Amino acid sequence: MVTAEVGGSGDPSAEVLAEAAAAFGLLASSARLHIVWVLAQGESDVTGLAERVGGALPAVSQHLTKLKLAGLVRSRREGRRQVYFVDDPDVVTVVRLMVGQLTDRAARAPVRHAPVRHV
C-alpha cells in the first residue's frame, strides 16, 4: 500500500488518491465494513464471519475475495479451515476511528421522536 505523509505540505499523488478511493469504495459496503470490523477484533474462518455478520456463506466468501484482492485481508490455512485476518493495521485504525466517531456522535445526539401529526 502506498502511503502519504499526513499533514504534509503537498497534495498526494494521483496514484495514492486512486488507491485510497478504491479502498474506501470497498469499505463503502456495510457488509464488507462489518467483516473488516469483525476481523479487526481477531481472526476468523468464513463460517464464523457469516454467523457474526449475519450473511450467507457464499456472499461473505465473495466479500472476502474482494477484500483479499485489495490487500486489506489475508488468509492462511489451518488444517481444512481457511482463517482470515486484517493484513493492514492502518485500515483497522481508520475503520475503528470512523465507527467510533459515529457511535459517539449517535450517543450524544438528542433522541428524535417521530413528528406528531394533527388530524
Side-chain angles (χ1 to χ4, degrees):
M1 178 176 258
V2 179
T3 59
E5 182 182 334
V6 176
S9 60
D11 291 338
S13 69
E15 176 188 0
V16 168
L17 290 172
E19 191 172 336
F24 280 121
L26 276 172
L27 295 174
S29 157
S30 59
R32 285 191 290 273
L33 184 59
H34 196 176
I35 289 168
V36 171
W37 176 263
V38 170
L39 291 176
Q41 312 308 310
E43 301 173 341
S44 181
D45 63 8
V46 69
T47 303
L49 283 169
E51 289 171 1
R52 179 99 181 259
V53 303
L57 212 62
V60 171
S61 184
Q62 288 177 354
H63 288 307
L64 285 166
T65 298
K66 290 179 181 181
L67 291 167
K68 280 180 71 173
L69 288 172
L72 300 176
V73 168
R74 284 188 32 203
S75 66
R76 71 171 183 285
R77 185 154 301 281
E78 283 187 1
R80 302 177 88 188
R81 293 178 355 150
Q82 195 78 1
V83 177
Y84 295 88
F85 55 95
V86 177
D87 189 36
D88 189 338
D90 293 331
V91 169
V92 172
T93 301
V94 169
V95 168
R96 284 184 175 159
L97 178 64
M98 177 58 80
V99 173
Q101 290 285 46
L102 293 174
T103 300
D104 290 348
R105 184 181 301 165
R108 289 190 314 265
V111 177
R112 293 186 181 170
H113 299 282
V116 177
R117 291 182 41 192
H118 297 283
V119 185

